[in-house]
Amino acid sequence: MLPRAIIMAEIEVNNIVKRFGRVTALYKVSMKAGKGINMVLGPNGAGKSTLLRCIAGLYKPDEGSISVLGRNPYYDDAVRKGVSLISDNYGLYDYLGVLDNLKFFGRLYGLSDSEISSRAQRLLKEFDAKEYADRKVYTLSRGTKQKVAICRAMLSDPEVMLLDEPTAFLDAASAEELRGTLRSMARATTMIYVTQKIDEVERMQGSITVLRKGRIAGSTDLENIYRSVFPGMTVRVKFAKPVSKELLSGMKGIRADSANAQSISMKVKGYKDINSILKALMDRGAAIISVSYEEPTVEDLINGGRIG
């Protein structure tokens, strides 16, 4: 652990501006992050990846300041021993083997070869990638590369993790395993987890900051998200066996596909309506196998006026 003075937050971003030529990627962005999961939600082009690279010390802000673990990450190399970044380009050497990649990065963090070997074997096994240990990275699928990149980021047992869409390219089981691992680390680790997917925010359940067009649009929570995006949404319910018109009689707002319906659709006023309707259906004997809806977007959330 890096020695440092007592600070209010592990990460402090103060009014940073980052420009690339005439394009302003971030404008007057301020935020604080402490231990736990700190979600940054925003659409493509919002500046999420740029923000992470500034915090990691890879980009120097044109204005403003950043403190990570009490240090300036752009000028103080010591801070990087406590920080790991999972970026959208894996951060691996294609023509090195998986274990050789992990050895290389482990040595940069000052780990001994024996530490690297034991940690690498454990992490590769945890993420179901042990069989690829001797394979060159360029031969791997995108999903397997992502698993190896996650192992590389966790190798040093970092105090700060910067996560750029970390479940991208992972299959459903691997993605959920990663979420579980991150949630278990959250008490001792400061995480900034950026995503454009509202359902990812739901699964991680951290504090939520919304970034849009390079600016902080505000903060929110899951209840506000649900309140904002569900009114007027069409929800579809599928059944294990068809339900009759008699079973659905008296239930307003439900549209059945046929007389003996395998599925129904309904418009809801809010997320609480879904629970009450599903309960009514089950009380009447319906066997529900799935509930689906069109995934809301960040723009839906912003336009719903539920941020702040």
Side-chain angles (χ1 to χ4, degrees):
M1 181 178 293
L2 292 171
R4 61 186 187 278
I6 296 174
I7 51 177
M8 293 297 292
E10 306 296 305
I11 298 172
E12 295 189 22
V13 178
N14 298 303
N15 288 314
I16 66 166
V17 176
K18 181 60 187 173
R19 302 183 184 92
F20 298 96
R22 296 181 178 180
V23 176
T24 300
L26 297 171
Y27 184 75
K28 298 293 183 181
V29 170
S30 295
M31 64 177 292
K32 292 184 180 182
K35 283 185 170 57
I37 300 169
N38 303 269
M39 304 295 296
V40 176
L41 177 66
N44 280 332
K48 302 186 301 296
S49 297
T50 300
L51 175 61
L52 289 190
R53 284 167 171 75
C54 288
I55 294 171
L58 300 178
Y59 291 162
K60 180 185 177 184
D62 296 294
E63 298 177 24
S65 64
I66 297 175
S67 172
V68 178
L69 303 175
R71 292 175 161 85
N72 184 320
Y74 190 77
Y75 291 106
D76 193 337
D77 288 340
V79 73
R80 298 186 187 183
K81 289 188 176 182
V83 178
S84 281
L85 169 66
I86 298 179
S87 65
D88 54 0
N89 63 358
Y90 309 115
L92 301 168
Y93 289 99
D94 281 342
Y95 289 93
L96 282 180
V98 167
L99 269 180
D100 288 335
N101 263 281
L102 296 179
K103 286 178 183 177
F104 173 80
F105 287 104
R107 287 170 180 169
L108 291 180
Y109 281 111
L111 300 176
S112 69
D113 285 353
S114 61
E115 286 176 314
I116 295 168
S117 179
S118 62
R119 293 184 188 189
Q121 294 292 341
R122 173 179 57 81
L123 288 166
L124 289 171
K125 182 178 180 181
E126 183 176 341
F127 288 99
D128 195 27
K130 195 171 181 178
E131 65 183 285
Y132 305 104
D134 297 321
R135 291 267 299 272
K136 295 284 194 293
V137 166
Y138 80 89
T139 67
L140 306 177
S141 68
R142 291 193 299 179
T144 303
K145 287 179 183 177
Q146 185 76 341
K147 290 180 181 181
V148 176
I150 292 163
C151 293
R152 186 264 305 156
M154 293 184 171
L155 194 63
S156 63
D157 192 20
E159 294 177 75
V160 171
M161 293 192 71
L162 307 174
L163 306 157
D164 194 346
E165 302 276 5
T167 59
F169 311 125
L170 295 181
D171 58 75
S174 297
E176 189 51 41
E177 186 172 7
L178 173 60
R179 295 183 194 104
T181 299
L182 294 175
R183 286 191 291 263
S184 69
M185 295 171 62
R187 286 187 179 181
T189 310
T190 298
M191 300 179 191
I192 295 186
Y193 186 125
V194 308
T195 183
Q196 60 180 307
K197 296 182 177 179
I198 288 179
D199 66 336
E200 198 70 11
V201 172
E202 294 175 40
R203 291 184 173 101
M204 296 307 297
Q205 297 188 1
S207 63
I208 305 166
T209 299
V210 180
L211 189 66
R212 183 178 185 239
K213 296 182 179 180
R215 300 169 183 255
I216 298 292
S219 59
T220 188
D221 56 33
L222 281 177
E223 186 173 357
N224 276 342
I225 288 176
Y226 294 145
R227 236 186 354 248
S228 175
V229 300
F230 275 101
M233 182 174 287
T234 298
V235 177
R236 192 170 188 82
V237 181
K238 289 186 179 181
F239 304 104
K241 59 182 181 180
V243 297
S244 65
K245 279 189 173 181
E246 288 74 23
L247 185 145
L248 300 175
S249 65
M251 299 187 70
K252 295 181 179 180
I254 289 180
R255 187 171 64 252
D257 295 338
S258 59
N260 287 301
Q262 195 76 49
S263 65
I264 60 170
S265 58
M266 56 188 179
K267 278 199 171 184
V268 296
K269 294 179 180 178
Y271 67 94
K272 293 181 180 179
D273 286 356
I274 300 174
N275 293 332
S276 60
I277 293 171
L278 294 180
K279 183 179 185 304
L281 287 167
M282 289 186 289
D283 287 346
R284 295 181 180 205
I288 297 169
I289 58 172
S290 71
V291 180
S292 60
Y293 54 88
E294 183 180 350
E295 184 181 327
T297 68
V298 183
E299 294 298 334
D300 292 331
L301 174 61
I302 294 168
N303 293 335
R306 296 291 184 178
I307 298 175

